[in-house]
Amino acid sequence: MIDRRKFLHIPLLGVSLVSARNFFGQTFETRSALKVKRPVVVSTWDSGITANNGAWPILQNGGRALDAVEAAGRASEDEPSCCVGLAAWPDRDGKVTLDACIMDGNGDCGGVSFLERIKHPVSVARKVMEKTPHVLLSGSGAQEFEVANGFPLELGELSDDAEKEWKEWLKKSEYKPKANIENLKPGLSQFRPAFFDDGTANHDTMGTVAMDAGGRLSGMVTTSGMAFKMRGRVGDSPIVGAGLFVDNEVGAATSSGVGEEVIRICGTHTIIEQMRTGRSPEQACREAIRRIVKRDPAKAKEMQVGFVALSRTGIIGAFSLVKGFTFSVTNAQYPKGKIFEANSWF
Ligand code: SD4
């Protein structure tokens, strides 16, 4: 594919390039590179503000990035409107199944997938990392491990809104993720653009990366996966190197969107390795997106994948397939969090 944008994306540190209108009619700044001071936390989507709010008090008080990203995941899982936990949309059989992972900048990592009736999968992922010789536990085994570690089993019933949407979906049973709106808060139909009262859209995957005051990096992802997925389907989120990769020598990256596409190109690992060779975070995210586009340009136009990366030198960059991928940044400069929109291929 001819790379028409090659000369347009010149990294300009801290310079606002455009103020774009996103899919939902909101306007966020788009920057090719944002230089930030540590400590800092960065999360996918507008709803990343909730995650960042969970992490920021820890970072602000000199805490570890690892504790901060776990708190970010828990804050999202606790907040029904974030839609990443048990209040989220179910699979096509009507069951909410959750995926999560967590990773430290020294290569320690843990994940859980296809987990049911667990309120805080991110904390179970951390236990997998710290208490087992393994990296990923799945399904009933993950659930048994979680119970043995003192986490309670929740009832596992659908929220009223999620049940309504699922029954509506069953009428056609069509699995067709739509860019940026494939994962909305239950109660807001996936078949029309939807807004919260403040105009934001919501997503069912929260990816967070953080750098603490000491320069240590960590990240986490927590999700209910794509709405109405096949039972047993696992996306990119719990897979280290796909939905999340962190290396203190280079930086941290996370993803959101159609997980199958991210897994196929080992998305976040690709980004960190690109950054290792000297590419900026945005250039590295763009290269990962290019590999997705190359495989099937027509299909890539119709869906969303977004990556965001933070370098160990404090530069944030992002890139997505189509317009509308936003990310939230919180640090001393933006203590309440600020939302930016990524540049996109299409
Ligand atoms: C998945 N990547 O399970 C997730 C979905 C997602 O916003 O990011 N939704 O494929």
Side-chain angles (χ1 to χ4, degrees):
M1 157 157 304
I2 298 168
D3 187 353
R4 286 179 292 123
R5 300 180 187 206
K6 204 168 189 171
F7 302 108
L8 297 180
H9 292 277
I10 303 161
L12 295 175
L13 291 187
V15 177
S16 177
L17 291 182
V18 270
S19 206
R21 189 164 280 273
N22 79 359
F23 186 86
F24 300 95
Q26 292 174 285
T27 304
F28 299 114
E29 272 178 58
T30 306
R31 298 192 193 188
S32 280
L34 178 67
K35 171 86 177 147
V36 289
K37 288 215 169 78
R38 66 190 201 217
V40 61
V41 54
V42 185
S43 295
T44 51
W45 303 113
D46 323 2
S47 46
I49 295 286
T50 300
N52 290 3
N53 287 345
W56 181 236
I58 294 174
L59 293 172
Q60 200 180 19
N61 290 320
R64 285 175 68 189
L66 184 67
D67 295 328
V69 296
E70 184 187 0
R74 291 178 71 95
S76 305
E77 290 158 357
D78 272 338
E79 169 57 61
S81 72
C82 263
C83 223
V84 299
L86 290 172
W89 282 3
D91 63 16
R92 50 173 69 172
D93 289 8
K95 300 264 188 338
V96 175
T97 68
L98 304 173
D99 301 334
C101 79
I102 194 163
M103 187 170 191
D104 211 354
N106 60 9
D108 288 336
C109 50
V112 285
S113 64
F114 191 41
L115 190 58
E116 292 178 66
R117 297 175 56 191
I118 303 305
K119 192 158 189 212
H120 289 302
V122 69
S123 293
V124 189
R126 184 165 176 178
K127 283 266 182 306
V128 171
M129 168 175 125
E130 290 177 340
K131 299 222 158 157
T132 78
H134 307 305
V135 164
L136 186 57
L137 291 186
S138 196
S140 57
Q143 200 186 60
E144 280 163 27
F145 169 75
E146 175 262 344
V147 171
N149 275 280
F151 293 87
L153 265 190
E154 308 290 327
L155 278 178
E157 284 170 357
L158 290 184
S159 68
D160 291 347
D161 284 343
E163 182 155 13
K164 211 168 108 208
E165 294 293 337
W166 173 57
K167 288 193 171 145
E168 188 58 37
W169 177 84
L170 279 176
K171 288 181 189 161
K172 282 195 181 167
S173 298
E174 242 183 5
Y175 183 67
K176 255 192 192 171
K178 283 190 183 175
N180 300 322
I181 58 166
E182 76 275 36
N183 302 298
L184 297 171
K185 180 178 183 287
L188 299 171
S189 168
Q190 74 165 151
F191 306 110
R192 59 185 157 80
F195 304 84
F196 290 151
D197 291 344
D198 64 359
T200 56
N202 235 336
H203 297 271
D204 68 0
T205 298
M206 187 50 55
T208 299
V209 293
M211 181 161 48
D212 61 31
R216 288 169 300 200
L217 288 154
S218 289
M220 77 87 210
V221 188
T222 181
T223 187
S224 57
M226 303 299 286
F228 315 131
K229 61 196 175 186
M230 281 178 73
R231 183 144 178 83
R233 179 264 188 192
V234 172
D236 57 324
S237 304
I239 299 176
V240 167
L244 177 71
F245 200 71
V246 188
D247 183 341
N248 275 339
E249 283 181 359
V250 179
T254 188
S255 68
S256 190
V258 179
E260 283 75 3
E261 300 300 323
V262 178
I263 295 171
R264 284 186 183 108
I265 59 149
C266 296
T268 55
H269 184 259
T270 292
I271 289 165
I272 296 301
E273 293 314 306
Q274 290 292 312
M275 286 166 64
R276 200 187 300 277
T277 67
R279 282 196 156 159
S280 73
E282 191 198 61
Q283 287 168 339
C285 292
R286 187 172 185 282
E287 169 59 17
I289 290 291
R290 187 190 67 81
R291 293 183 194 191
I292 294 174
V293 174
K294 180 184 73 168
R295 216 176 64 83
D296 190 341
K299 198 174 143 206
K301 232 182 238 170
E302 301 300 322
M303 62 185 161
Q304 181 62 296
V305 170
F307 293 109
V308 60
L310 165 67
S311 76
R312 72 178 184 87
T313 55
I315 296 171
I316 299 167
F319 211 82
S320 62
L321 276 175
V322 297
K323 284 197 186 315
F325 175 60
T326 55
F327 57 97
S328 305
V329 178
T330 303
N331 73 347
Q333 190 186 354
Y334 308 118
K336 292 202 159 61
K338 185 165 163 78
I339 299 165
F340 295 89
E341 183 174 1
N343 284 313
S344 62
W345 191 278
F346 296 107

